[in-house]
Each structure stands twice: as C-alpha cells, then as structure tokens.
Amino acid sequence: PRTLLRDRAHAAIRDAIVAGELAPGAVVRDADLAERLGLSRAPVREAFSRLVDEGLLESKPQSYTRVTAVVSDDVRDAAAVVGAMHELVTRIAVPRLTEADLDTMRAANEHFAAAVRAGDVDGALRADDDLHHVLVRAAGNRAAAATAARYTPLIRRLERRRFGEGGACRSAGLHDRLIDACAAGDTEAALRVTAVIWRSLEDLADPE
C-alpha cells in the first residue's frame, strides 16, 4: 500500500508539473500537496525525492523544494535518450506486432490527428503516448520502458508549452509512415522514421 501511495503521489505531482499547473520556479510544500492529494506527508516526500532525481524538482535542504526551469540542454539530452530507447524497442517490437497492435496504433494516430486539428494539446500528447506504447509493450524490454518513462516528462513540458504557444505539432504523417513500415514488417524503415520523430523533439529544444 505504501508503494502505491508513493506512486500515486509521484504521478499526480509529475502530471501537474508537465501540465504547467505547477509552474517552473514554483515552491512546493509536502503538507500542501498531501492535503490536496488526500495523502499523508510521507508518500509525498518520497515522491519529491524521486522527482528531484528525474529533474522536475530541485531541493535545497532546510530551505525549499521547487519546480525546475525548462532548460533546453536538459530537454535535448532527454530527447536523445528517449529516442534511443524508442529505437531499441522498435527494433525488437516490429517482428512481434499483431494486427490488433497495428489497429491500436492506427486508432491512436486518428485521435492524435483529430486532437492536433482541434488544438487539444493534452489529447494529442496522450494519443502520441498511446501509439508509441504499443511498440514499448510489444518489445517487453522493461529497462528501456523505465528509462523512457523517466525522461519523457522533461520533453513533454517543453512540447506542451510550445504547442500551447501555437508551435508546430509533430505530423500525423510521420506516424502513418511508422505504422506502414511496421505493417510491412520493415524494421529498418520503422527505425528511420522513429529516428526522425525523436530528432524533431531534440530540435524543439533549440533556443528560439
């Protein structure tokens, strides 16, 4: 039960940071968030420690814990790592994909495209996660999945902000190319598209 409470606190605080509800520089207090989440302070403190390790919070003992700034170099580094993990899972997953998997990817991309057209940033990012999660699940590499999950929120913060400012969103056409390569069982083509997708996120971190 304690592990579940810690994970619940971690997920809730992480999502609030990614969504901008807890803005960069905002000071966070375990008592305030414990009350907000209906939890005791212990799992919130444990979540704080994990979020510091993940780069979403920074802490000075006996002084403050606050949300980190969005730093382009950090986002670029995270995108490179996450991209490498997705290339790894793509290489493993493509030969294992079923028709049901491909249908799930197609449906996710339809939701992605609709969300982009509607300007629904959160919906687009959720659909994007759903699409790529099919490959992660099919690969079954827990180390790659955990590494990607750890660093993706750093990317999502900048991605969400840029999209909210009217910036370009990743193309559903790239997803179509990825799905076509997967359907054809063409691992090398799928890897090339995956590299383009994640390189675009490294480029997103370039200073304007």
Side-chain angles (χ1 to χ4, degrees):
R2 178 169 177 170
T3 300
L4 293 175
L5 292 176
R6 179 188 63 206
D7 290 346
R8 176 183 159 195
H10 171 266
I13 299 166
R14 178 202 63 206
D15 291 349
I17 293 171
V18 171
E21 296 168 18
L22 294 173
V27 173
V28 293
R29 297 177 177 84
D30 55 6
D32 294 341
L33 285 171
E35 182 178 359
R36 171 176 165 179
L37 298 173
L39 299 171
S40 69
R41 294 170 70 174
V44 172
R45 288 195 193 108
E46 291 181 52
F48 278 6
S49 178
R50 186 172 164 189
L51 290 162
V52 168
D53 287 343
E54 293 172 357
L56 293 174
L57 292 178
E58 56 186 357
S59 182
K60 182 177 180 181
Q62 309 304 319
S63 182
Y64 62 77
T65 300
R66 66 189 179 195
V67 179
T68 56
V70 179
V71 178
S72 293
D73 285 347
D74 292 344
V75 175
R76 192 179 300 108
D77 290 348
V81 170
V82 173
M85 294 302 100
H86 278 281
E87 288 184 47
L88 172 62
V89 301
T90 296
R91 183 177 296 279
I92 298 169
V94 169
R96 301 179 178 181
L97 294 173
T98 66
E99 280 302 319
D101 291 329
L102 294 168
D103 287 343
T104 299
M105 293 175 73
R106 293 184 183 104
N109 198 31
E110 289 176 6
H111 294 153
F112 176 83
V116 171
R117 288 193 299 270
D120 178 3
V121 177
D122 291 331
L125 295 180
R126 280 195 302 272
D128 184 70
D129 284 338
D130 290 344
L131 187 153
H132 290 286
H133 181 66
V134 173
L135 294 165
V136 172
R137 185 182 65 245
N141 187 314
R142 289 187 291 180
T147 302
R150 173 173 180 167
Y151 291 105
T152 295
L154 287 171
I155 306 167
R156 289 298 194 225
R157 277 209 295 172
L158 179 59
E159 202 173 8
R160 190 182 189 284
R161 188 176 77 185
R162 290 286 173 85
F163 293 169
E165 292 169 351
C169 187
R170 274 176 286 165
S171 169
L174 279 175
H175 288 158
D176 283 333
R177 287 169 53 193
L178 175 61
I179 295 166
D180 288 345
C182 290
D186 190 338
T187 301
E188 294 305 316
L191 284 169
R192 287 193 294 272
V193 179
T194 299
V196 171
I197 289 171
W198 293 97
R199 195 176 304 122
S200 71
L201 290 180
E202 292 184 55
D203 294 343
L204 187 71
D206 289 337
E208 295 179 344

